[in-house]
Amino acid sequence: MRATEAPDPGRARPVIDLHAHSSVSDGTESPAQLVASAAAAGIDVLAITDHDTVAGWDEASAAAREHGIALVRGIEISCAWRHTSIHLLGYLPDPGDRPLLEELARARDSRATRLERMVERMAADAIPLTYQEVLAQVAPGATPGRPHIADALIANGTIEHRDEAFRSWLGDDSPYYVGHYAPDPVRAVELVRAAGGVPVLAHPFTRTRSGAVDDHLVGRMRAAGLAGLEAYHRDHGPEEVAHATELAERLGLLLTGSSDYHGTGKRNRLGENTTTPEVLEAIEATASGVTEVLRPAG
Ligand code: AMP
Ligand code: FE
Ligand code: FE
Ligand code: ZN
């Protein structure tokens, strides 16, 4: 078959990566370092989407200006579903929206007490760890998560990579697992929408303790205002991508792709999965405009 459009190397399509973490949650790079890494990796548009917080936005914005890349300010909200945690990306919400901020603060508070309880259970089972060691791994004001327990075990020489801790002790079905307060996924969609943001279900078919998210839940989230599915993600194989594509067609949802980069905390590389400019445009058109995509001048 002949191509209908000659490739034009002078007009390359922008590389758009809409999901990445900084040390403001469980990434290993500061927001400024994250943006610098993205620029170095050839990313044109990066979304910063830390777990349950907007605390990295300002630092990332300044760095994006400095490095000449575009920045989508977002969040990744942990949601409680059938005794497990599923993730909702929220792009371009109003960072001053009270109901959203209060919900995020409540989740972060509950995350701290939950980590302490997990450490107590682990220490009782002779895993060499104190809560103080875990706290030392959480940047000031950052959202605490299980990866910080893993980092404490790396720091005290018990393991070498976060992966090992998740395999042995930190998984959703581990006896040491303790949940934290998190909103219901439909409520989270409503909160992001009410804040003028654009909700996209992160890696919907990642395996959890309760199995993958089911189509019925996605349908209910769609009715509440869900805009898209993150189909192209390391946690998805061809079957999961096909399922997401079919579901998106049926429900009228956008399909996004991203790296879910966590610095050295995960093996995911910036730009390993990407989102098309057309989908980014649709996301921007859906947002209220209170928070805009920051683009380099000129
Ligand atoms: P939490 O937010 O406390 O529920 O912890 C979940 C986080 O752990 C996710 O956002 C992932 O970034 C991270 N995570 C899950 N599995 C692994 C793994 N095998 N290796 C490294 N990080 C992981
Ligand atoms: Fe994470
Ligand atoms: Fe996630
Ligand atoms: Zn993520």
Side-chain angles (χ1 to χ4, degrees):
M1 264 228 300
R2 280 187 62 206
T4 50
E5 223 181 306
D8 179 355
R11 268 207 247 148
R13 308 243 301 158
V15 181
I16 303 170
D17 188 338
L18 291 187
H19 183 167
H21 296 270
S22 77
S23 53
V24 152
S25 64
D26 58 2
T28 58
E29 297 173 349
S30 69
Q33 286 166 336
L34 165 65
V35 170
S37 295
I43 305 295
D44 299 293
V45 185
L46 176 78
I48 180 168
T49 54
D50 276 305
H51 297 288
D52 298 334
T53 184
V54 298
W57 282 18
D58 288 350
E59 186 183 319
S61 301
R65 245 172 265 124
E66 186 187 321
H67 290 277
I69 70 169
L71 184 74
V72 176
R73 289 164 288 178
I75 48 178
E76 186 177 24
I77 303 178
S78 292
C79 307
W81 183 71
R82 291 188 187 164
H83 312 291
T84 186
S85 175
I86 63 170
H87 292 171
L88 183 76
L89 293 158
Y91 296 118
L92 306 169
D94 174 358
D97 184 85
R98 287 289 293 273
L100 179 62
L101 287 180
E102 282 169 11
E103 194 71 5
L104 297 179
R106 187 174 170 195
R108 288 195 307 271
D109 289 347
S110 153
R111 277 169 164 280
T113 46
R114 158 279 191 144
L115 280 195
E116 190 166 14
R117 286 169 59 206
M118 285 188 70
V119 169
E120 279 166 13
R121 289 186 185 189
M122 292 170 73
D125 233 0
I127 298 159
L129 188 65
T130 67
Y131 185 54
Q132 286 313 311
E133 287 177 292
V134 175
L135 281 183
Q137 299 300 321
V138 186
T143 303
R146 280 176 279 169
H148 298 111
I149 297 183
D151 290 347
L153 290 164
I154 294 171
N156 74 17
T158 307
I159 55 168
E160 277 178 13
H161 194 276
R162 284 181 181 178
D163 251 350
E164 297 164 55
F166 274 88
R167 258 184 273 126
S168 303
W169 305 302
L170 301 181
D172 287 6
D173 37 23
S174 156
Y176 310 119
Y177 180 82
V178 177
H180 61 82
Y181 168 77
D184 165 272
V186 172
R187 165 98 183 111
V189 167
E190 290 167 351
L191 277 167
V192 170
R193 274 285 183 173
V198 185
V200 170
L201 185 54
H203 43 79
F205 306 120
T206 299
R207 297 262 141 217
T208 69
R209 178 160 53 155
S210 310
V213 158
D214 61 37
D215 294 6
H216 178 71
L217 174 64
V218 178
R220 289 200 299 125
M221 292 173 79
R222 174 66 181 133
L226 184 71
L229 299 176
E230 188 184 49
Y232 310 108
H233 184 283
R234 175 178 283 244
D235 290 359
H236 289 174
E239 266 179 48
E240 284 79 22
V241 172
H243 184 187
T245 305
E246 181 269 322
L247 199 53
E249 270 168 23
R250 186 145 51 86
L251 298 176
L253 292 164
L254 302 167
L255 289 179
T256 67
S258 73
S259 64
D260 201 356
Y261 180 72
H262 281 71
T264 57
K266 276 190 173 180
R267 298 177 205 280
N268 311 25
R269 298 175 320 271
L270 281 160
E272 67 178 25
N273 283 292
T274 57
T275 296
T276 66
E278 292 75 18
V279 167
L280 176 59
E281 222 173 273
I283 288 172
E284 282 190 79
T286 305
S288 70
V290 171
T291 301
E292 295 185 314
V293 177
L294 295 177
R295 290 202 160 78

